[in-house]
Short mmCIF file of all heavy atoms in Angstrom, two decimals:
data_model
loop_
_atom_site.label_atom_id
_atom_site.label_comp_id
_atom_site.label_asym_id
_atom_site.label_seq_id
_atom_site.Cartn_x
_atom_site.Cartn_y
_atom_site.Cartn_z
N ASP A 33 -0.81 16.41 -3.35
CA ASP A 33 -1.84 17.43 -2.99
C ASP A 33 -1.91 17.49 -1.48
O ASP A 33 -2.94 17.56 -0.87
CB ASP A 33 -3.21 16.99 -3.58
CG ASP A 33 -4.16 18.14 -3.50
OD1 ASP A 33 -3.73 19.31 -3.53
OD2 ASP A 33 -5.38 17.88 -3.44
N ALA A 34 -0.76 17.64 -0.91
CA ALA A 34 -0.59 17.70 0.55
C ALA A 34 -0.43 19.15 1.04
O ALA A 34 -0.01 20.03 0.23
CB ALA A 34 0.56 16.89 0.99
N GLU A 35 -0.76 19.39 2.27
CA GLU A 35 -0.49 20.71 2.84
C GLU A 35 0.94 20.80 3.36
O GLU A 35 1.47 19.86 3.88
CB GLU A 35 -1.47 21.01 4.03
CG GLU A 35 -2.89 21.19 3.54
CD GLU A 35 -3.82 21.57 4.62
OE1 GLU A 35 -3.69 20.93 5.76
OE2 GLU A 35 -4.65 22.46 4.38
N LEU A 36 1.51 21.99 3.25
CA LEU A 36 2.91 22.21 3.68
C LEU A 36 2.90 23.16 4.90
O LEU A 36 2.27 24.21 4.85
CB LEU A 36 3.68 22.90 2.51
CG LEU A 36 5.15 23.03 2.63
CD1 LEU A 36 5.80 21.68 2.80
CD2 LEU A 36 5.65 23.65 1.28
N MET A 37 3.57 22.72 5.94
CA MET A 37 3.77 23.48 7.12
C MET A 37 5.20 23.93 7.08
O MET A 37 6.07 23.02 6.87
CB MET A 37 3.47 22.71 8.40
CG MET A 37 2.06 22.14 8.47
SD MET A 37 0.75 23.38 8.54
CE MET A 37 1.18 24.23 10.03
N VAL A 38 5.54 25.11 7.38
CA VAL A 38 6.88 25.62 7.39
C VAL A 38 7.27 26.05 8.80
O VAL A 38 6.58 26.76 9.45
CB VAL A 38 7.04 26.86 6.46
CG1 VAL A 38 8.43 27.40 6.51
CG2 VAL A 38 6.67 26.52 5.01
N LEU A 39 8.35 25.50 9.32
CA LEU A 39 8.83 25.67 10.70
C LEU A 39 10.18 26.31 10.76
O LEU A 39 11.12 25.79 10.10
CB LEU A 39 8.82 24.34 11.50
CG LEU A 39 9.36 24.39 12.88
CD1 LEU A 39 8.48 25.23 13.80
CD2 LEU A 39 9.47 22.96 13.43
N HIS A 40 10.29 27.33 11.51
CA HIS A 40 11.64 27.92 11.81
C HIS A 40 11.70 27.91 13.37
O HIS A 40 10.82 28.37 14.06
CB HIS A 40 11.74 29.31 11.30
CG HIS A 40 13.00 30.01 11.77
ND1 HIS A 40 14.21 29.64 11.26
CD2 HIS A 40 13.23 31.00 12.61
CE1 HIS A 40 15.17 30.43 11.87
NE2 HIS A 40 14.57 31.22 12.67
N VAL A 41 12.84 27.38 13.88
CA VAL A 41 13.01 27.30 15.34
C VAL A 41 14.09 28.31 15.76
O VAL A 41 15.18 28.35 15.18
CB VAL A 41 13.39 25.88 15.77
CG1 VAL A 41 13.67 25.89 17.31
CG2 VAL A 41 12.38 24.87 15.35
N VAL A 42 13.75 29.14 16.76
CA VAL A 42 14.70 30.09 17.31
C VAL A 42 15.27 29.44 18.56
O VAL A 42 14.54 29.17 19.53
CB VAL A 42 13.96 31.44 17.66
CG1 VAL A 42 14.97 32.36 18.27
CG2 VAL A 42 13.29 31.98 16.43
N GLU A 43 16.56 29.27 18.51
CA GLU A 43 17.24 28.69 19.73
C GLU A 43 17.39 29.74 20.79
O GLU A 43 17.60 30.89 20.53
CB GLU A 43 18.69 28.21 19.27
CG GLU A 43 18.59 26.93 18.45
CD GLU A 43 19.98 26.43 18.18
OE1 GLU A 43 20.61 25.91 19.19
OE2 GLU A 43 20.46 26.46 17.08
N PRO A 44 17.28 29.25 22.01
CA PRO A 44 17.41 30.19 23.13
C PRO A 44 18.84 30.77 23.20
O PRO A 44 19.75 30.05 22.83
CB PRO A 44 17.04 29.36 24.34
CG PRO A 44 17.18 27.97 23.99
CD PRO A 44 17.00 27.92 22.53
N VAL A 45 18.98 31.96 23.67
CA VAL A 45 20.27 32.61 23.83
C VAL A 45 21.00 31.87 25.00
O VAL A 45 20.36 31.66 26.04
CB VAL A 45 20.15 34.10 24.06
CG1 VAL A 45 21.51 34.72 24.40
CG2 VAL A 45 19.51 34.73 22.93
N HIS A 46 22.25 31.53 24.85
CA HIS A 46 23.00 30.89 25.93
C HIS A 46 22.99 31.85 27.07
O HIS A 46 23.26 33.05 26.94
CB HIS A 46 24.35 30.56 25.34
CG HIS A 46 25.14 29.66 26.28
ND1 HIS A 46 25.84 30.20 27.40
CD2 HIS A 46 25.36 28.36 26.31
CE1 HIS A 46 26.43 29.14 28.07
NE2 HIS A 46 26.13 28.07 27.39
N PRO A 47 22.90 31.32 28.25
CA PRO A 47 22.89 32.16 29.49
C PRO A 47 24.13 33.06 29.61
O PRO A 47 24.04 34.22 29.99
CB PRO A 47 22.83 31.15 30.69
CG PRO A 47 22.19 29.95 30.09
CD PRO A 47 22.63 29.91 28.61
N ASN A 48 25.31 32.54 29.26
CA ASN A 48 26.52 33.44 29.32
C ASN A 48 26.43 34.61 28.31
O ASN A 48 26.85 35.63 28.66
CB ASN A 48 27.74 32.55 28.98
CG ASN A 48 28.06 31.54 30.06
OD1 ASN A 48 27.59 31.64 31.20
ND2 ASN A 48 28.84 30.54 29.73
N THR A 49 25.87 34.31 27.17
CA THR A 49 25.70 35.36 26.14
C THR A 49 24.71 36.41 26.67
O THR A 49 24.92 37.63 26.48
CB THR A 49 25.22 34.78 24.81
OG1 THR A 49 26.14 33.80 24.39
CG2 THR A 49 25.12 35.90 23.73
N HIS A 50 23.66 35.93 27.25
CA HIS A 50 22.60 36.82 27.84
C HIS A 50 23.26 37.75 28.85
O HIS A 50 23.03 39.02 28.80
CB HIS A 50 21.48 36.01 28.42
CG HIS A 50 20.43 36.89 29.04
ND1 HIS A 50 19.45 37.50 28.36
CD2 HIS A 50 20.28 37.30 30.35
CE1 HIS A 50 18.69 38.21 29.13
NE2 HIS A 50 19.17 38.10 30.39
N VAL A 51 24.02 37.19 29.78
CA VAL A 51 24.63 37.97 30.82
C VAL A 51 25.67 39.00 30.21
O VAL A 51 25.65 40.17 30.57
CB VAL A 51 25.37 37.15 31.90
CG1 VAL A 51 26.23 37.93 32.76
CG2 VAL A 51 24.33 36.27 32.67
N LEU A 52 26.44 38.52 29.30
CA LEU A 52 27.42 39.44 28.72
C LEU A 52 26.78 40.61 27.97
O LEU A 52 27.15 41.77 28.14
CB LEU A 52 28.28 38.64 27.70
CG LEU A 52 29.35 39.36 26.94
CD1 LEU A 52 30.43 39.85 27.88
CD2 LEU A 52 29.95 38.54 25.85
N LEU A 53 25.78 40.33 27.08
CA LEU A 53 25.15 41.40 26.35
C LEU A 53 24.25 42.26 27.20
O LEU A 53 24.28 43.45 26.99
CB LEU A 53 24.28 40.73 25.21
CG LEU A 53 25.08 40.13 24.08
CD1 LEU A 53 24.19 39.39 23.13
CD2 LEU A 53 25.95 41.12 23.34
N SER A 54 23.48 41.70 28.16
CA SER A 54 22.68 42.59 28.98
C SER A 54 23.53 43.49 29.86
O SER A 54 23.11 44.58 30.11
CB SER A 54 21.67 41.74 29.75
OG SER A 54 22.32 40.91 30.71
N SER A 55 24.64 42.97 30.31
CA SER A 55 25.49 43.83 31.13
C SER A 55 26.23 44.91 30.34
O SER A 55 26.46 46.01 30.81
CB SER A 55 26.46 42.99 31.99
OG SER A 55 27.38 42.36 31.07
N SER A 56 26.59 44.61 29.07
CA SER A 56 27.30 45.59 28.29
C SER A 56 26.38 46.59 27.62
O SER A 56 26.75 47.75 27.47
CB SER A 56 28.12 44.91 27.20
OG SER A 56 27.33 44.27 26.28
N MET A 57 25.13 46.20 27.33
CA MET A 57 24.27 47.19 26.64
C MET A 57 23.10 47.62 27.51
O MET A 57 22.32 48.53 27.15
CB MET A 57 23.77 46.60 25.25
CG MET A 57 22.85 45.42 25.36
SD MET A 57 22.17 44.79 23.86
CE MET A 57 23.01 45.53 22.51
N GLY A 58 22.98 47.02 28.64
CA GLY A 58 21.88 47.32 29.53
C GLY A 58 20.70 46.36 29.32
O GLY A 58 20.42 45.97 28.15
N GLU A 59 20.10 45.92 30.40
CA GLU A 59 19.03 44.90 30.31
C GLU A 59 17.86 45.40 29.48
O GLU A 59 17.38 44.60 28.60
CB GLU A 59 18.56 44.61 31.75
CG GLU A 59 17.46 43.51 31.81
CD GLU A 59 18.00 42.10 31.41
OE1 GLU A 59 19.20 41.82 31.61
OE2 GLU A 59 17.18 41.33 30.89
N SER A 60 17.39 46.67 29.60
CA SER A 60 16.29 47.05 28.83
C SER A 60 16.57 47.16 27.34
O SER A 60 15.78 46.81 26.55
CB SER A 60 15.77 48.37 29.32
OG SER A 60 16.69 49.39 29.11
N GLU A 61 17.77 47.56 27.00
CA GLU A 61 18.17 47.59 25.59
C GLU A 61 18.23 46.18 25.01
O GLU A 61 17.81 45.93 23.86
CB GLU A 61 19.54 48.35 25.42
CG GLU A 61 20.03 48.45 24.03
CD GLU A 61 19.13 49.40 23.18
OE1 GLU A 61 18.43 50.30 23.79
OE2 GLU A 61 19.10 49.23 21.98
N TRP A 62 18.76 45.27 25.83
CA TRP A 62 18.90 43.86 25.31
C TRP A 62 17.48 43.27 25.10
O TRP A 62 17.30 42.60 24.14
CB TRP A 62 19.74 43.09 26.35
CG TRP A 62 19.74 41.58 26.11
CD1 TRP A 62 19.25 40.63 26.95
CD2 TRP A 62 20.13 40.87 24.96
NE1 TRP A 62 19.42 39.39 26.47
CE2 TRP A 62 19.93 39.54 25.17
CE3 TRP A 62 20.66 41.25 23.73
CZ2 TRP A 62 20.25 38.49 24.27
CZ3 TRP A 62 21.00 40.30 22.80
CH2 TRP A 62 20.74 38.90 23.10
N VAL A 63 16.57 43.52 26.03
CA VAL A 63 15.26 42.97 25.89
C VAL A 63 14.58 43.61 24.70
O VAL A 63 13.91 42.93 23.93
CB VAL A 63 14.43 43.30 27.17
CG1 VAL A 63 12.94 43.04 26.99
CG2 VAL A 63 14.95 42.44 28.32
N HIS A 64 14.76 44.89 24.46
CA HIS A 64 14.16 45.57 23.30
C HIS A 64 14.75 45.00 22.00
O HIS A 64 14.01 44.79 21.04
CB HIS A 64 14.50 47.05 23.38
CG HIS A 64 13.89 47.85 22.29
ND1 HIS A 64 12.63 48.06 22.10
CD2 HIS A 64 14.54 48.54 21.22
CE1 HIS A 64 12.33 48.75 20.99
NE2 HIS A 64 13.51 49.05 20.49
N LEU A 65 16.08 44.74 22.00
CA LEU A 65 16.72 44.15 20.80
C LEU A 65 16.15 42.81 20.43
O LEU A 65 15.82 42.45 19.33
CB LEU A 65 18.24 44.06 21.01
CG LEU A 65 19.13 43.55 19.84
CD1 LEU A 65 19.04 44.59 18.66
CD2 LEU A 65 20.45 43.36 20.26
N GLN A 66 16.00 42.01 21.49
CA GLN A 66 15.40 40.64 21.31
C GLN A 66 13.96 40.74 20.79
O GLN A 66 13.60 39.98 19.92
CB GLN A 66 15.43 39.86 22.63
CG GLN A 66 16.75 39.27 22.96
CD GLN A 66 16.70 38.42 24.22
OE1 GLN A 66 16.27 38.90 25.26
NE2 GLN A 66 17.02 37.18 24.13
N SER A 67 13.24 41.62 21.34
CA SER A 67 11.78 41.79 20.98
C SER A 67 11.69 42.23 19.48
O SER A 67 10.91 41.69 18.73
CB SER A 67 11.13 42.85 21.87
OG SER A 67 9.84 43.07 21.42
N ASP A 68 12.57 43.18 19.06
CA ASP A 68 12.55 43.63 17.72
C ASP A 68 12.88 42.47 16.79
O ASP A 68 12.31 42.31 15.71
CB ASP A 68 13.54 44.78 17.50
CG ASP A 68 13.06 46.05 18.02
OD1 ASP A 68 11.87 46.13 18.45
OD2 ASP A 68 13.86 46.99 18.11
N TYR A 69 13.88 41.67 17.17
CA TYR A 69 14.29 40.52 16.34
C TYR A 69 13.14 39.51 16.13
O TYR A 69 12.85 39.12 15.04
CB TYR A 69 15.44 39.82 16.92
CG TYR A 69 15.88 38.49 16.31
CD1 TYR A 69 16.47 38.53 15.03
CD2 TYR A 69 15.59 37.28 16.89
CE1 TYR A 69 16.82 37.33 14.39
CE2 TYR A 69 15.94 36.09 16.28
CZ TYR A 69 16.54 36.15 15.00
OH TYR A 69 16.87 34.91 14.42
N GLU A 70 12.47 39.20 17.28
CA GLU A 70 11.38 38.20 17.21
C GLU A 70 10.18 38.75 16.40
O GLU A 70 9.56 37.95 15.71
CB GLU A 70 11.00 37.85 18.61
CG GLU A 70 12.10 36.95 19.33
CD GLU A 70 11.83 36.76 20.80
OE1 GLU A 70 10.72 37.11 21.28
OE2 GLU A 70 12.72 36.18 21.48
#
Side-chain angles (χ1 to χ4, degrees):
D33 195 29
E35 291 185 316
L36 190 56
M37 302 296 298
V38 178
L39 173 66
H40 174 70
V41 179
V42 179
E43 290 187 67
V45 175
H46 191 278
N48 292 342
T49 303
H50 177 84
V51 169
L52 177 68
L53 290 174
S54 65
S55 64
S56 66
M57 67 178 11
E59 183 68 28
S60 65
E61 182 67 25
W62 170 240
V63 168
H64 181 69
L65 183 67
Q66 282 183 301
S67 175
D68 286 350
Y69 172 74
E70 290 171 7

